[in-house]
Amino acid sequence: MKKIVLHHHTGLGDHFICNGLVHAFANTFDEVNLVCKRHFVKTVSHLYEDFADKIKILPVDEEFNDSIRYSMDNKMELYRVGFDKVDFENFEDSFYTQYNLDPMLEYYGFVLPKNLETSKLFYQKLLKSLGEEYIIVHDVSSYKIFDLKIETELPRHTVDKSDTDDVLDYVDAICNAKEVHVINSGLNNLVFQLFIKKMTKGKIYFHAARKVEDGGIPVKIPEGIEVVDYE
């Protein structure tokens, strides 16, 4: 039985970008132990819960040291993704091309969990407070809050850490919103996946407000998503 440790970039958005890649590794190996920061464990465990027999979540505090230690202690080969062979201008694609995988696997290989009951509950809660016509806004990164150019009179829900510790709880709210406004900060990758799967009903806006000095990186934006530029 071939078991491995898989360590790709560990930001929240990276877990959505690399979902197709993780499934490709799970199709190749008998067991994939996926490195995950502890504060994302609930979301990532939910994301892969239908494949828990093959994809194991490996919570870490110090991702590089802990992944090496775990692989050595358990005599597993360690695969790192996106640390040494990264094309900054094609950041997301390079995760896949490093292992000769089709970059479009990011989208057509993405798998949502079957159980999204807590997402439905959060959506119902949102309906009671905002009504059926609302917008979803995500305007904060680990660096700062961004003042976004949004022109609408619709009630809005601004994503906040106090909402939930499982980001998949937003799925139904995103899919049923009249508009979704995101920046380059984790959640946009989930929104893009839902858009590609034709699950979103409203307009999706990507606000290019986060620049390199704010920790921004080039983002692969699917055709059909409206980009709002910032100087």
Side-chain angles (χ1 to χ4, degrees):
M1 178 177 269
K2 179 70 170 179
K3 300 180 180 181
I4 68 162
V5 175
L6 180 58
H7 179 201
H8 62 58
H9 282 222
T10 52
L12 179 62
D14 299 307
H15 282 288
F16 296 125
I17 292 170
C18 292
N19 180 268
L21 181 145
V22 173
H23 283 290
F25 271 77
N27 289 333
T28 301
F29 300 103
D30 296 300
E31 182 179 295
V32 174
N33 292 271
L34 180 63
V35 173
C36 179
K37 292 179 180 176
R38 291 192 185 277
H39 53 284
F40 294 141
V41 164
K42 189 168 183 179
T43 296
V44 177
S45 295
H46 187 186
L47 184 61
Y48 293 108
E49 68 180 10
D50 298 332
F51 305 90
D53 58 328
K54 293 202 69 173
I55 302 172
K56 313 290 185 181
I57 309 306
L58 176 58
V60 296
D61 297 305
E62 298 179 3
E63 57 183 282
F64 286 93
N65 292 336
D66 290 352
S67 59
I68 290 172
R69 187 179 303 110
Y70 188 86
S71 65
M72 292 180 65
D73 289 348
N74 293 278
K75 296 180 173 56
M76 297 179 187
E77 191 171 355
L78 173 61
Y79 286 79
R80 294 206 194 276
V81 180
F83 296 100
D84 298 321
K85 300 178 181 180
V86 177
D87 175 0
F88 185 75
E89 295 303 319
N90 297 284
F91 185 70
E92 297 175 33
D93 287 357
S94 62
F95 290 176
Y96 288 82
T97 56
Q98 177 180 347
Y99 287 99
N100 298 315
L101 295 171
D102 181 358
M104 288 306 295
L105 191 63
E106 174 182 347
Y107 297 124
Y108 67 73
F110 180 82
V111 182
L112 277 171
K114 295 174 184 176
N115 182 3
L116 290 169
E117 288 305 312
T118 52
S119 169
K120 292 177 173 57
L121 291 174
F122 183 82
Y123 173 54
Q124 291 301 319
K125 180 180 176 181
L126 212 61
L127 287 179
K128 289 180 180 179
S129 62
L130 300 181
E132 292 187 358
E133 296 193 346
Y134 62 88
I135 71 172
I136 294 288
V137 178
H138 187 220
D139 60 2
V140 62
S141 74
S142 55
Y143 282 70
K144 66 180 184 181
I145 298 175
F146 294 85
D147 184 17
L148 303 185
K149 298 183 286 189
I150 300 174
E151 297 180 3
T152 182
E153 294 182 358
L154 292 173
R156 72 177 65 186
H157 178 78
T158 301
V159 172
D160 187 86
K161 288 183 178 179
S162 64
D163 288 335
T164 177
D165 53 0
D166 181 356
V167 174
L168 293 176
D169 286 348
Y170 290 118
V171 168
D172 281 87
I174 290 168
C175 290
N176 290 286
K178 284 290 183 181
E179 298 174 5
V180 180
H181 297 261
V182 293
I183 61 169
N184 173 10
S185 185
L187 190 67
N188 73 278
N189 299 108
L190 174 60
V191 172
F192 291 176
Q193 296 286 6
L194 298 174
F195 174 80
I196 289 292
K197 288 186 175 298
K198 302 185 184 302
M199 294 174 65
T200 54
K201 296 177 180 177
K203 186 75 175 177
I204 309 298
Y205 295 86
F206 176 79
H207 292 258
R210 187 179 180 187
K211 307 301 182 182
V212 173
E213 59 269 24
D214 301 314
I217 58 173
V219 177
K220 186 164 67 174
I221 303 172
E223 184 177 351
I225 288 177
E226 186 166 328
V227 178
V228 182
D229 290 317
Y230 291 74
E231 294 182 359

